[in-house]
Every structure is written in C-alpha cells, then in structure tokens.
Amino acid sequence: MARKFFVGGNWKCNGTAEEVKKIVNTLNEAQVPSQDVVEVVVSPPYVFLPLVKSTLRSDFFVAAQNCWVKKGGAFTGEVSAEMLVNLDIPWVILGHSERRAILNESNEFVGDKVAYALSQGLKVIACVGETLEQREAGSTMDVVAAQTKAIADRVSNWSNVVIAYEPVWAIGTGKVASPAQAQEVHDELRKWLAKNVSADVAATTRIIYGGSVNGGNCKELGGQADVDGFLVGGAALKPEFIDIIKAAEVKKSA
C-alpha cells in the first residue's frame, strides 16, 4: 500500500494574530495537490489554534506543538490532550528536539506523552533525531532506535502515528541532511520497525524528514524511497511552503 505523502508545518514560537491571518490567507489561496496525494497539517502556537482552525481551508488540518503527558489538573501552564480534542484539533507534535534539548524531555517522557495523546484520540507526529556530536560519533541509529523504542514500548496501534526524523544538526542551521543521508536513516528506521514492531507497521507508517527543508531541496528529498514527506520549520511561515506541499507530486509520478 502506498503511504500518503505528509507535509507538516511547524510554526514554532512565532507569529502575531495579523501574521497568522496572512499565512492562513496564503495557504487558503494556494493551488496544491488533492488530499488523496498529500496530507497537509499546520502547527501554530497554542494561542492561535482556534483562529487557525476556524479560518483554514477544510482540506488542511491543524496540530498543536505539544501537550501534557496525562489528564489535566494542577499543572500550571500545561495544555492537556483532552483540551485539544475538545477544540477538535486532530494532531499534536510530540518529542520535538527543541523540547528534548531545552526542556529536558526524556525518551520515556515523550513515549508516555505519545501513548496518552493516542489514547485520547489524537494523531501524533513523533519526533526523533540525533545531535551533531552523536552523528560524528557514529551513534545516529542507536540514538534514533532508543527514541523510537520508548514509543514502541508504549504504543500498540501505529495507525495514527507519523514519525518525523529530524537530525538536530540540520534544524534551522541551513545544513541539510543529504538526500542519501536522510534515506539511509529512514530505511534503517523502517527496518527497525519491521524487526521490533511488525512488517505491517514498517510498511505503512509514514517517516517524514525535518531539518532545513525548503523549496529548493524538497523535490530531491521527497523523491527518496523511504521519505514520506516533511516536517517544515522556518519555511512553513513563508510562501515557499506551497512549493514544499507540491513536492508530493514526485511520489505520484514515481
């Protein structure tokens, strides 16, 4: 079964109400491949979720950038999975490297978050990836496998999970993993899933790439056999996000 191309736009901690309206307007006017070719999800900051949800075209979906690890309650400053479900937000990004690095979210904590979000009916973009030091030490696959294992240990149904491979050294640095480097890790990740979860999960789970994806490199990256789309950072705030969505066509013509 062909895996549907997936393009996510992570707006991170950016934007004013006016800027958000402009971005949504650009997306709403864009000519992009149909929903059977590409699934598009955008992830604004929490405070703009209702604004984006209410104004964004119906064939694009909205994701939160994080949620709490269990049921809500006395957790000041946190947002629970239940709240996102209540607002009809279908997706959430979990385990982004910025949260792992800056907020010290461990593999286990991220695994718990993924399991809880799924249990509440959210779909999850689960992020994995190595730092420059880890890549240079040759431990890329060990790191990515450990991050994935923490999720696999807690999740039985993978149908609502997209894995985002984001080499930390390529995020916002302008350094991009070469198409061959991206394909190599995606292929290894898929093999890991086949061996440790199931052949079916390995064949059907989308593994998307994140790390300085832009209008210039998206077609070549997207053309790799095991790259099923992108999680886009900086470029998601720019009109070139449309070009990145259109890169889904490389799979259709393959």
Side-chain angles (χ1 to χ4, degrees):
M1 185 188 88
R3 297 179 295 270
K4 191 197 288 190
F5 208 78
F6 185 101
V7 178
N10 177 11
W11 298 2
K12 305 193 181 181
C13 187
N14 291 294
T16 61
E18 285 314 302
E19 287 164 349
V20 165
K21 283 174 190 165
K22 276 191 189 137
I23 295 168
V24 170
N25 207 29
T26 302
L27 295 175
N28 287 350
E29 289 172 357
Q31 300 285 315
V32 297
S34 65
Q35 264 183 291
D36 56 342
V37 175
V38 63
E39 186 167 5
V40 180
V41 174
V42 297
S43 189
Y46 282 138
V47 291
F48 298 126
L49 284 170
L51 170 61
V52 174
K53 167 93 182 144
S54 62
T55 52
L56 186 67
R57 57 196 290 168
S58 62
D59 56 335
F60 286 9
F61 299 95
V62 180
Q65 295 175 17
N66 177 44
C67 66
W68 182 235
V69 68
K70 52 188 168 188
K71 195 167 163 38
F75 307 105
T76 301
E78 289 295 331
V79 171
S80 69
E82 290 86 348
M83 292 171 190
L84 298 177
V85 171
N86 181 247
L87 287 183
D88 277 334
I89 304 297
W91 286 91
V92 63
I93 298 171
L94 295 172
H96 193 279
S97 64
E98 286 154 4
R99 298 195 63 84
R100 289 177 186 267
I102 302 163
L103 293 147
N104 296 316
E105 294 195 1
S106 68
N107 292 350
E108 292 68 32
F109 189 62
V110 172
D112 287 340
K113 278 188 168 187
V114 172
Y116 191 76
L118 290 170
S119 77
Q120 297 308 301
L122 291 170
K123 298 177 189 179
V124 175
I125 300 165
C127 303
V128 299
E130 83 285 4
T131 63
L132 187 59
E133 296 74 31
Q134 289 163 337
R135 173 162 280 270
E136 287 175 345
S139 55
T140 294
M141 254 341 277
D142 295 338
V143 171
V144 171
Q147 291 168 334
T148 310
K149 181 179 188 299
I151 296 164
D153 285 346
R154 295 160 172 83
V155 169
S156 49
N157 182 353
W158 285 74
S159 57
N160 286 332
V161 179
V162 169
I163 297 175
Y165 167 60
E166 299 198 298
V168 180
W169 47 273
I171 298 176
T173 58
K175 286 182 184 169
V176 185
S178 69
Q181 282 174 317
Q183 167 59 24
E184 181 187 17
V185 178
H186 285 231
D187 176 53
E188 289 290 334
L189 245 177
R190 213 175 287 290
K191 284 178 183 156
W192 187 93
L193 287 171
K195 188 177 164 194
N196 297 280
V197 183
S198 76
D200 182 57
V201 165
T204 56
T205 300
R206 289 171 293 182
I207 306 176
I208 62 177
Y209 170 78
S212 298
V213 177
N214 59 43
N217 60 29
C218 56
K219 281 204 175 81
E220 199 186 349
L221 283 164
Q224 304 300 309
D226 289 289
V227 175
D228 301 315
F230 308 112
L231 186 57
V232 184
L237 302 165
K238 301 172 186 164
E240 72 184 289
F241 187 60
I242 311 302
D243 300 323
I244 299 171
I245 296 169
K246 288 178 180 167
E249 298 282 6
V250 301
K251 289 289 197 243
K252 214 172 66 165
S253 53

